[in-house]
Each structure stands twice: as C-alpha cells, then as structure tokens.
C-alpha cells in the first residue's frame, strides 16, 4: 500500500460500522474454547479410574439384582409346593392325590407337578416315570428317601424338551405319598443370558460348599453343568492368590466383588449367596474387566462429545451475543454520529473527523465549505418528510464527493452542509462548487415541483485564516456566507470579510430609524430625448443621507443587504411614495412634470400586495396615467416569467408604465421582448463597453434596438457618458439616453429647476 493510499484510508469518511466482533475478541473466544475443551478432556482422563470402578460396581449391581430374582423365584416355588403339600396331607388315596395335583396343571409357579411314592415318581395322571435310567431325577429320589427338600441341577427334560430344573419337598403328614416335585423351565427361573451380553461373560448358580455348578450360561464346557466351579476357576486363573479371596468369599457364603486375573486377562467376578433350600446356592457372575470398562467408555465418549459440542455451542452463542451487542452498539453509535435517514455524518461527527484530518495533514492546505439551501423550511414543507430526506441524501452524496477521500462532510439541520476539502485555490474551488450546486438540482426529489434550489456557499481556507481549528475555519466560512448578496452565490472569507460584516451589521442597526427619519431620499436622473432635445423623463435613484456627516451614501452600499434581509420592500415603497408626493406637489404648484421611473426589487415585486400598493398610492396621490413607470430588472423578469406578464398587464390597466431594466446584463431573453408588453427597454451600460469584436457587438446592439422598436418599446441607453457614446447610440437608433453626458442623478430641488429650465443638451453645453 502506497503512502497515498494509506492517507486515503485514514481520512476516508468511515463506512457504516457493521457491528463485527473485533479480531482480538475472536481470538479470546477461540482460546477459551480450546482451553475448555482440553480441560474437559483432561478431566475425563483423570476420572478414568473412578469410571472403571463405577463400571465394576455397576456389573456387580446387575448380578445382585439377578440373584434376588432367582432367590425370590426359588423361595416362591418352594412356598407353593408346600401349599400343595398341605392339601395333599388330607388326601385319602392316590385317586385324591391325582385330583389335587391335576388341579395345579398350568398354574403359574407350579411347573409340571409329580408325586413321589416309595422311591417312584408319578405324573398327575398316575403314570409312573421311569427314573432308573434318568439320573437327572436321582437327586430327587435320594431326597424322597431322606425326606428332605431338594432341587436338581439343570437338565434337558424329555417332556418339555427344554433345559429345566426340578424341585422336591416331602409331604410328611400323608399316608399315601412321600412327597411332591415339580419341573420348571430354566427360562422361567431367570433368563441368565440377558445379564451380560458377551460370550466371555457368564452367570452360574452353584452349590456354595461343593462348588457344583447347577446352571450356567458359559458357552464353553469349562463351567458346564455338574463341573466343579472352583476347579474350573483354578484352571483359568493366572493369579491363584487373588482367586483365593473369591473362594473364601463364596464358601463363607458372603456377597463379594473381586477382580480375578484370568490367563486371558482380568475378569470381574461377583458372587451372591442364594439362601434357598437347606443347601445354600451361590449365584456367580463373571465378566472381562475390559468389557465392563468399554461399556462405560462408550458412555464417557458420548459425554465427552456432548460436552465439547456444548462448549462450542456455548462459545458460538457468546460470539453471536457479542456480535449482536456490537451491532447494537454500532447502531447506537451510528444514531449518535449520523443522520441515519439521509446517511450523512452529523455536525459533531464532522467537526471531530475534520479536526483529526487537519491535525494529521499539517502541511496541506484545506478549506472549510459551508452550504445553505435557501428557503429550506419552505422547500421541506412543500416536499414533505420523505422527499426532503431524499433531497438531503442526494446533496449529502454530492458533499461527500466534493470532500473527496482526503476530506470530510456532514449535515447540520435546516439544509446546512459542511465540507472539509483540500484547497487548490479559489478558481478550482469555485468551479467545483458550481458543479455541486448545479448537480444539487438534478434530483428526483423535486421532480414535478417548481422548486429550484439555491445553495449559498461560504468558504474559508487555511490560506486565508491560517492554521486554525476546524471550528474557527467553519465559523469564518459562515461569516463569508453571510456576506453573500445574491442567491446561490459563493463568498470567500478574507480579512475584509469581518469588516464588511461589521459594516452590514451597522447598517442593519440603523436602517429602520433612518427610514422613519426620512434619511432615504430619491435623487432624479433626467433622461434625454434627442429627437425633441428635451428631458424625456427621469429615474428615481435612492440616496441615504447621513445628517451627522452631511453625506449621501449610494445604493451599492446597502441595496444588496436590504434585498437579503427583506428591508428593500419598505424602502421601495417609501421611495415610491416620495416620488408620488413629488409629482403631486409639482402638479399642485403647476410646475412642469415628466414621467418618473422607480426601481422595484424582485423581493418587492413577488409580494402578494405588490400591485395593490402601487396602484392604491397612484390613486391616493391622484397621479395621472403614464407619469409613473416601474423598472423591473431583466433577471427578475426571466426568473419570474410566469408572473411578470400578469403584473405588467395589471399595471397597464391602472395607467402605470413598465420598463425592462439592465437588459443585456444577464442571460438576455428575446422571448421576454416578444411576450411581455413592456413600454421601455433599458439597454445596460455593458452595450457601451468595448468588447473583443466591436463589429459583432454593434450588430447585436442594433438588432436589440430594432427588435424592441418592432415591439413598440421605447429604447433607452443607460450610462452614456461621452459624445462618442452618444453618437454611437444615436446611430443605433436609440431614442432616449440616460447618463452623465446629459445629466447626473440630482436632488428633487435641483431636478425641479432642471425641468423648469427645460434643459437641452445644447443648452447644457454638450453639443
Ligand atoms: P440602475 O437601476 O441600473 O440605475 C442606474 C445606475 O447607473 C444608477 O446608479 C446611476 O447613478 C448610474 N448612472 C447613471 N448614469 C451613469 C453614467 O453615465 N455612468 C455610470 N457609470 N453610471 C451611471 P445608482 O444610483 O448608484 O444606483 C445603483 C442601483 O441601485 C440602480 O441601478 C438600481 O438597481 C438600484 N437602486 C437605486 N435606487 C433604488 C430603489 O429605490 N429601489 C431599488 N430596488 N433599487 C434601487
Ligand atoms: Ca433602474
Ligand atoms: Ca439599469
């Protein structure tokens, strides 16, 4: 990036803040996220041993739960058998026994009932079951012989064709039978396979003391039915001493939870003592430690993933909240520093930024530019809020362009704009401002209305005011603006500007009283008709008499100011009245009278009461028709093309003549000549100034004179000072001249004498 580009960037009017989170904050959030993630991971790693323990406890809890279920089932089953046994005590013969036993077929917790008599086993139908060859029943036969309760190991029952377990109880009070038994499917006792789902895990029920396995889920033969659990364990374990603890726990019939190291790896073995029958059984659960922990690990991993997702989610939330906050802050900031509706920095923002620019570019010349849209309130009332904003937005964009990348701009209510711009001399600024004011009117906002914007411009450069603060520069630009006399003009601040303003302020302080005291008096400048060699008429030109200094001040000192502050209307009216009085007095005295023209400012002429005032006073002073003439300037006539025609018409109706003053001084329009029936055309003094091409000037002047005459206008040349000029205008065909060559503006008394003497140029000594 070049230095120039850098400067550009630094000084560029900032774009609307978009509410982004600063990089530093983003980094902080990122680092916190990583730290939190690492700490969560670390915590889980630290917790791992506890989790392993928890896994083992969990496995043990499952085994204990299983134990209770098995125990409950066994107990219930025995209880039911004893209940049946009680009934059988009263059975008198085998017939009755069969009847009672049959009644329990299909009832829960009863299984398939048998009755035992003299070491033989019978079905409920009384059919004897051949047991000699079926050693599964032998424990029960043995039990019936010894009249003790007992149960078998599990076996495949032929009737059910399923793994079953059989129970026996003696029916001691019966004369008919020894006892009863039942066969129950193992699945009804407990579905052991569901406890730990792994082929290396198993659950076995065994005789606590002998270690004989009664039922087992183990897939291999190591712990199959009838095997000795302790022997099988011994063949599997790697560390006999550890196993010893388990052995002790089981044989001492206590609940235990032991880690036993098998040859194939560490296993967790839990035992639960089943207090059923006289023989105490033990339920043993065996599972590889790795399996238990893996199961818990999947839980850990899930937790980890969830936690990390939660952390990221939380951080994203924090990030978004910060972003939203930032955006809200930016919005507030924007409202405080900008006129949001028109997208333009406000005055405060302008002064802040402009000051920074001035401070960081001390070697460059800058200028403060103050713009004011004339009659802004009126325009904004007419356009309404939305279109006014559109208009201001448009001007704001132009102001921004005018400021360029190295300056700044701002809006400060009521159609006032500020611009700070690099100063490249008055000439280039003047043309830039001209483009600005011209483009300001090129907007849709005023389309369909007759609004034409006039934007006044005050400028103060660091060259004129020195290296001062922006507030001082802008204040000076405003001072320059106040010196503007013509709408839409531009004024540059200079050391004289202050003096001029003081002068204006002095005039403004005195004007009202001066008017009341009669200090404003008309002088009269006679106009000469060379055809008749007589005074043709006169123009009333105002003078301000200063009684203290006994001097007259000329209009150029105050007319512009009065036009700006509106006082001109009072002055014009006052001069008109004095002219009326003058004519009236002359008429009353019987003095000769000539038509007298009065000047009327545009400010006076556009007022609603204009016609009324001039017509009413003509009547009031009973001035005969055609003795009064009103001079409208050419620029007024062009700017107010739509009303001038009507004004002239009305004045004519009331016997007042009309003159088009200063013709040729501005953008002369032949249309005016054609369409507005003026009585007189006053050619501006410019026609007498020698231009580059004398011939062409003459052709133009001659054409104007001819044209005006064709439209029946009296042609008057102003400012004729010399005999040469006089001859020249005569040759053009001009009828009447006004100028020092014939007479200067003179006081009312002098003028009176002048007419009475019926002065001719010859008499005056001109020719
Ligand atoms: P204007 O209406 O163009 O008046 C003619 C100006 O030319 C007068 O200046 C007059 O003194 C001057 N003049 C006359 N003969 C010659 C000449 O041979 N050579 C030169 N160089 N100038 C000559 P003045 O009296 O200073 O008035 C200046 C302007 O002030 C007038 O220009 C007119 O626009 C304005 N003005 C004067 N009185 C009134 C008034 O009562 N109301 C208004 N609204 N404006 C007035
Ligand atoms: Ca005039
Ligand atoms: Ca004039």
């Amino acid at each position: 990036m070049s230095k120039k580009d850098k400067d550009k960037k630094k000084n560029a009017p900032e774009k609307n803040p978009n509410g982004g989170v600063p990089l530093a904050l983003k980094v902080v959030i990122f680092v916190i996220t990583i730290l939190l993630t690492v700490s969560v991971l670390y915590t889980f790693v630290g917790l791992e041993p506890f989790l392993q323990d928890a896994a083992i406890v969990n496995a043990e809890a499952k085994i204990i739960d299983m134990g209770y279920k098995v125990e409950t089932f066994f107990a219930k089953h025995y209880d039911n058998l004893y209940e049946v046994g009680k009934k059988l005590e009263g059975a008198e013969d085998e017939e009755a026994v069969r009847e009672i036993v049959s009644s329990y077929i299909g009832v829960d917790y009863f299984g398939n009932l048998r009755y035992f008599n003299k070491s033989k086993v019978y079905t409920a139908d009384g059919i004897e079951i051949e047991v000699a060859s079926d050693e599964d029943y032998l424990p029960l036969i043995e039990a019936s012989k010894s009249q003790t309760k007992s149960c078998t190991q599990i076996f495949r029952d032929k009737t059910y064709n399923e793994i079953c377990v059989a129970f026996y109880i003696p029916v001691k009070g019966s004369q008919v039978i020894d006892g009863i038994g039942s066969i129950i499917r193992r699945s009804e006792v407990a579905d052991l396979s569901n406890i730990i789902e792994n082929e290396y895990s198993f659950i076995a029920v065994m005789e606590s003391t002998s270690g004989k396995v009664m039922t087992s889920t183990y897939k291999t033969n190591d712990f199959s039915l009838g095997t000795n659990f302790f022997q099988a364990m011994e063949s599997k374990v790697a560390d006999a001493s550890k196993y010893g603890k388990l052995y002790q726990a089981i044989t001492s019939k206590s609940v235990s939870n032991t880690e036993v190291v098998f040859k194939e790896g560490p296993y967790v073995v839990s035992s639960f003592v089943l207090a059923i029958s006289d023989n105490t059984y033990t339920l043993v659960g065996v599972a590889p430690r790795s399996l238990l922990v893996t199961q818990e690990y999947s839980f850990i991993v899930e937790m980890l993933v969830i936690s990390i997702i939660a952390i990221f989610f939380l951080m994203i939330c924090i990030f978004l909240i910060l972003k939203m906050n930032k955006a809200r802050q930016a919005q507030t900031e924007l409202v405080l520093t900008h006129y949001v509706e028109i997208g333009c920095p406000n005055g405060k923002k302008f002064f802040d930024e402009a000051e920074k620019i001035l401070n960081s570019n001390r070697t460059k010349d800058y200028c403060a530019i103050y713009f004011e849209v004339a009659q802004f309130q009126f325009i904004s009332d007419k356009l309404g809020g939305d279109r006014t904003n559109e208009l201001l937005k448009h001007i704001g964009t132009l102001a921004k362009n005018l400021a360029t990348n190295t300056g700044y701009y701002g809006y400060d209510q009521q159609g006032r704009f500020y611009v700070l711009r690099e100063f490249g001399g008055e000439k280039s600024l003047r043309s830039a401002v001209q483009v600005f004011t011209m483009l300001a009117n090129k907007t849709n906002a005023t389309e369909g209305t007759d609004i034409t914007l006039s934007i006044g411009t005050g400028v103060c450069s660091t060259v004129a005011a020195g290296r001062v603060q922006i507030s001082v520069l802008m204040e000076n630009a405003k001072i320059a603006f106040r010196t503007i006399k013509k709408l839409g003009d531009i004024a540059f601040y200079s050391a004289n500007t202050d003096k001029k303003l003081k002068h204006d302020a002095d005039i403004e302080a005195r004007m009202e009283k001066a008017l009341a005291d009669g200090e404003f008096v008309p002088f009269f400048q006679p106009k000469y008709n060379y055809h008749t060699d007589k005074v043709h008429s006169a123009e009333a030109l105002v003078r301000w008499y200063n009684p203290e200094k006994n001097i007259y001040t000329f209009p150029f000192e105050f007319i512009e100011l009065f036009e700006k502050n509106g006082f001109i209307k009072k002055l014009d009216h006052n001069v008109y009245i004095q002219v009326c009085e003058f004519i009236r007095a002359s008429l009353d005295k019987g003095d000769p009278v000539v038509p007298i023209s009065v000047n009327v400012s545009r400010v006076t002429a556009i007022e609603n009461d204009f016609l009324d005032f001039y017509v009413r006073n003509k009547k009031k002073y009973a001035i005969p028709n055609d003795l009064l003439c009103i001079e409208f300037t050419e620029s007024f006539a062009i700017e107010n093309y739509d009303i001038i025609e009507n004004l002239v018409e009305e004045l004519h109706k009331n016997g007042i003549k009309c003159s088009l003053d200063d013709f040729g001084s501005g953008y002369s329009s032949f249309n005016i000549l054609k369409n507005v029936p003026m009585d007189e055309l006053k050619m501006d003094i410019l026609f007498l100034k020698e231009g580059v091409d004398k011939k062409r000037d003459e052709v133009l002047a001659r054409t104007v004179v001819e044209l005006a005459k064709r439209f029946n206008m009296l042609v008057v040349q102003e400012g004729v000072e010399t005999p040469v000029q006089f001859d020249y205008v005569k040759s053009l065909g001009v009828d009447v001249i006004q100028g020092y060559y014939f007479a200067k503006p003179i006081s009312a008394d002098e003028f009176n004498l002048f007419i009475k003497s019926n002065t001719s140029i010859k008499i005056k000594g001109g020719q």
Side-chain angles (χ1 to χ4, degrees):
M1 201 191 272
S2 71
K3 191 183 172 309
K4 206 172 160 196
D5 285 345
K6 268 186 203 159
D7 278 356
K8 259 188 197 173
K9 207 161 177 191
K10 192 164 52 181
N11 298 337
E14 87 215 43
K15 293 179 194 79
N16 287 352
N18 60 11
V21 177
L23 185 68
L25 208 55
K26 280 183 191 163
V27 170
V28 168
I29 292 177
F30 180 73
V31 169
I32 291 178
T33 310
I34 297 299
L35 284 178
L36 275 176
T37 309
V38 168
S39 79
V40 164
L41 282 171
Y42 194 75
T43 309
F44 274 109
V45 170
L47 279 176
E48 199 243 323
F50 298 102
L51 287 164
Q52 288 198 10
D53 286 353
I56 292 161
V57 169
N58 192 31
E60 190 196 53
K62 280 182 182 172
I63 291 162
I64 289 171
D65 188 52
M66 190 67 213
Y68 274 118
K69 275 192 188 138
V70 173
E71 192 173 73
T72 311
F73 184 86
F74 278 24
K76 178 91 176 140
H77 194 73
Y78 276 120
D79 282 356
N80 289 340
L81 278 181
Y82 278 116
E83 192 189 307
V84 180
K86 259 247 144 9
K87 282 191 184 165
L88 288 171
E89 280 178 12
E92 284 171 1
D93 51 18
E94 278 201 39
E95 181 77 14
V97 167
R98 283 199 290 271
E99 206 171 299
I100 293 169
V101 171
S102 299
S103 71
Y104 284 95
I105 293 173
V107 178
D108 270 356
Y109 282 101
F110 283 93
N112 207 345
L113 287 179
R114 308 268 190 267
Y115 64 89
F116 289 71
N117 201 5
K118 299 189 180 71
S119 305
K120 285 184 177 166
V121 191
Y122 300 92
T123 66
D125 303 336
I127 298 162
E128 187 192 336
I129 295 167
E130 197 60 60
V131 286
S133 58
D134 194 342
E135 60 178 33
D136 293 328
Y137 285 101
L138 288 178
L140 301 190
I141 299 294
E142 287 305 312
S144 76
K145 282 177 187 160
S146 61
Q147 283 299 76
T148 52
K149 79 172 185 186
S150 172
C151 72
T152 66
Q153 296 170 4
I154 59 162
F155 63 96
R156 181 165 292 278
D157 182 77
K158 293 183 185 91
T159 339
Y160 283 125
N161 196 25
E162 238 187 84
I163 304 293
C164 293
V165 62
F167 298 86
Y168 173 81
I169 58 152
V171 182
K172 288 190 172 146
S174 173
Q175 306 298 316
V176 189
I177 54 170
D178 296 334
I180 52 167
S182 66
I183 302 167
I184 289 183
R185 292 185 193 94
R186 189 180 63 174
S187 58
E188 281 175 46
V189 179
D191 190 359
L192 300 178
S193 64
N194 283 342
I195 306 257
I196 301 168
E197 292 160 352
N198 180 275
E199 58 179 311
Y200 301 109
S201 309
F202 69 95
I203 284 193
V205 178
M206 62 181 186
E207 249 181 44
S208 308
T209 352
S210 68
K212 201 165 148 193
V213 173
M214 196 182 93
T215 168
S216 162
T217 62
Y218 200 57
K219 297 269 161 71
T220 70
N221 289 327
D222 296 354
F223 292 94
S224 60
L225 299 182
T227 51
N228 187 298
F229 178 80
F230 302 127
Q231 280 170 11
M233 283 297 277
E234 262 162 43
S235 69
K236 286 196 83 71
V237 293
D239 181 354
S241 66
K242 277 266 177 88
Y243 160 68
K245 258 165 98 186
L246 173 68
Y247 178 78
Q248 234 175 2
I250 296 172
T251 49
S252 66
K253 297 167 189 162
S254 59
V255 176
S256 85
N257 185 43
T258 316
E259 192 171 321
V260 180
V261 182
F262 281 22
K263 284 167 189 150
E264 56 201 65
Y267 271 66
V268 174
V269 182
S270 300
S271 65
F272 179 80
V273 183
L274 299 167
I276 39 170
S277 89
D278 297 335
N279 300 316
T280 307
Y281 290 89
T282 301
L283 188 91
V284 183
V286 181
R289 181 190 180 115
S290 59
L291 171 76
L292 296 174
V293 174
T294 308
Q295 280 180 350
E296 293 307 326
Y297 261 29
S298 64
F299 167 74
I300 294 175
V301 172
E302 275 166 29
M303 284 300 289
L304 256 181
V305 170
I306 290 172
S307 303
I308 290 168
I309 289 175
I311 289 170
F312 274 89
F313 184 72
L314 191 76
M315 287 305 156
I316 288 171
C317 283
I318 291 175
F319 182 77
L320 288 178
I321 289 170
L322 282 173
K323 200 173 159 121
M324 268 160 64
N325 257 357
K326 190 83 193 146
R328 210 172 301 133
Q329 252 179 25
Q331 192 59 35
T332 322
E333 159 94 359
L334 193 71
V335 169
L336 289 176
T337 58
H338 286 72
Y339 284 95
V340 181
E341 326 77 62
I342 64 168
C344 191
N346 62 21
K348 188 185 173 308
K349 179 79 176 163
F350 168 81
F351 284 109
D352 288 350
E353 294 301 322
E355 190 66 38
K356 282 185 210 159
I357 294 171
L358 284 179
N359 284 338
S360 48
N361 297 282
R362 295 215 145 264
T363 53
K364 285 186 194 162
D365 286 328
Y366 275 90
C367 61
I369 309 173
Y370 174 79
F371 290 112
E372 192 172 307
V373 178
Q375 292 188 291
F376 179 75
Q377 195 54 53
F378 170 77
I379 292 172
S380 124
D381 288 350
K382 203 160 176 183
L383 290 180
D386 288 350
R387 289 178 83 185
T388 304
N389 283 343
E390 193 189 332
L391 175 68
L392 292 173
K393 200 171 182 174
H394 169 69
I395 302 177
T397 312
L398 295 176
K400 187 179 179 180
N401 292 342
L402 188 70
T404 77
N405 280 338
T406 55
Y408 207 75
Y409 71 108
Y411 175 63
D412 195 16
Q413 297 178 324
Q414 292 298 310
R416 296 189 292 258
F417 284 89
Y418 301 136
V419 169
L420 178 77
R421 179 184 152 106
E422 270 192 68
F423 185 61
E426 282 194 13
K427 204 172 155 207
S428 79
L429 186 63
R430 201 179 277 275
S431 51
V433 168
Q434 255 165 17
V435 172
F436 172 89
T437 46
M438 191 259 292
L439 290 178
N441 265 304
K442 297 220 177 315
T443 166
N444 294 337
T446 52
E447 219 172 57
T449 68
D450 55 0
I451 291 172
T452 308
L453 297 179
S454 289
I455 301 179
T457 313
V459 183
C460 177
S461 69
T462 49
V463 178
R467 206 71 209 183
V468 288
Q469 286 180 332
I470 179 64
S471 54
V472 179
L473 275 186
M474 195 50 82
E475 212 37 60
N476 289 342
K478 282 185 190 172
I479 289 172
F481 168 81
R482 274 183 238 126
T483 66
I484 293 175
K485 298 290 154 66
K486 232 172 68 201
L487 271 178
D489 215 350
I490 178 170
F492 287 84
Y493 175 87
S494 72
N496 286 336
T497 313
D498 275 338
K499 264 192 225 156
K500 203 168 183 196
L501 269 191
K502 281 206 189 82
H503 176 251
D504 283 357
D506 177 54
I507 289 178
E508 286 191 322
R510 293 192 294 124
M511 63 191 185
E512 293 281 359
K513 188 170 181 295
L515 189 73
D517 292 351
E519 290 179 15
F520 292 101
V521 289
F523 269 42
F524 298 89
Q525 183 174 32
K527 295 194 271 188
Y528 172 72
N529 184 334
Y530 77 89
H531 297 300
T532 60
D533 188 30
K534 279 186 185 148
V535 176
H536 171 271
S537 54
E539 178 180 5
L541 295 160
V542 73
R543 303 288 179 262
W544 184 351
Y545 178 67
N546 186 332
E548 282 168 28
K549 297 181 185 163
N550 193 26
I551 50 161
Y552 288 98
T553 311
F554 290 84
F556 72 89
E557 296 247 19
F558 51 83
I559 293 285
E560 279 182 349
L561 176 65
F562 290 172
E563 282 186 327
K564 221 172 78 176
N565 66 20
F567 185 69
I568 192 72
K569 180 181 167 187
K570 285 187 185 172
L571 182 65
D572 280 350
H573 286 187
N574 183 275
V575 170
Y576 181 66
I577 298 280
Q578 292 193 59
V579 168
C580 288
E581 283 171 349
F582 174 79
I583 298 174
R584 181 75 263 150
S586 301
L587 288 171
D588 289 349
K589 282 188 269 176
D591 288 344
V593 286
V594 289
I596 297 179
S597 305
V598 291
N599 290 286
V600 161
S601 153
R602 58 173 291 284
V603 179
T604 315
I606 59 167
E607 288 285 333
N608 288 335
D609 65 348
F610 168 68
L611 282 171
D612 174 65
F613 182 86
Y614 283 80
V615 171
R616 185 161 37 84
N617 282 294
K618 174 181 174 279
K619 283 183 187 151
K620 182 179 166 191
Y621 290 96
I623 310 294
N625 283 352
D626 300 339
L627 279 184
L628 285 168
C629 176
I630 287 176
E631 293 191 7
F632 296 101
T633 59
E634 179 195 55
S635 57
F636 168 77
I638 289 169
E639 280 164 23
N640 300 277
Y641 196 74
D642 47 341
I643 62 166
I644 185 85
E645 210 179 324
N646 177 49
L647 290 184
V648 170
E649 207 173 297
E650 286 299 314
L651 290 168
H652 280 172
K653 274 189 203 158
N654 289 283
I656 299 174
K657 292 200 160 189
C658 298
S659 170
L660 189 60
D661 199 2
D662 301 341
F663 189 84
S665 63
Y667 302 98
S668 310
S669 158
F670 290 109
N671 262 347
I672 294 278
L673 296 185
K674 192 182 102 195
N675 295 335
V676 188
M678 293 283 184
D679 304 282
E680 181 185 270
L681 180 80
K682 294 186 82 175
M683 309 226 327
D684 197 81
I685 199 164
L686 274 175
F687 281 103
L688 299 177
K689 299 252 147 63
E690 273 191 21
V692 193
D693 190 338
K694 218 175 151 192
K695 271 246 156 66
R696 287 178 78 97
D697 287 348
E698 194 183 323
V699 170
L700 183 69
R702 200 174 293 282
T703 312
V704 170
V705 175
E706 271 173 26
L707 203 62
K709 282 185 151 181
R710 288 231 185 118
F711 291 120
N712 293 323
M713 295 166 99
L714 177 80
V715 182
V716 180
Q717 177 62 60
E718 295 185 288
V720 179
E721 293 179 356
T722 64
V724 178
Q725 286 174 339
F726 179 57
D727 287 341
Y728 170 63
V729 296
K730 259 199 304 192
S731 75
L732 293 177
V734 171
D735 306 307
V736 172
I737 64 145
Q738 178 183 350
Y740 301 159
Y741 178 63
F742 178 59
K744 290 198 168 179
I746 44 183
S747 70
D749 292 342
E750 287 172 308
F751 180 60
N752 238 331
L753 292 173
F754 195 90
I755 321 178
K756 274 186 192 158
S757 67
N758 203 5
T759 315
S760 78
I761 286 209
K762 289 168 197 140
I763 294 165
K764 215 189 134 229
Q767 249 175 23

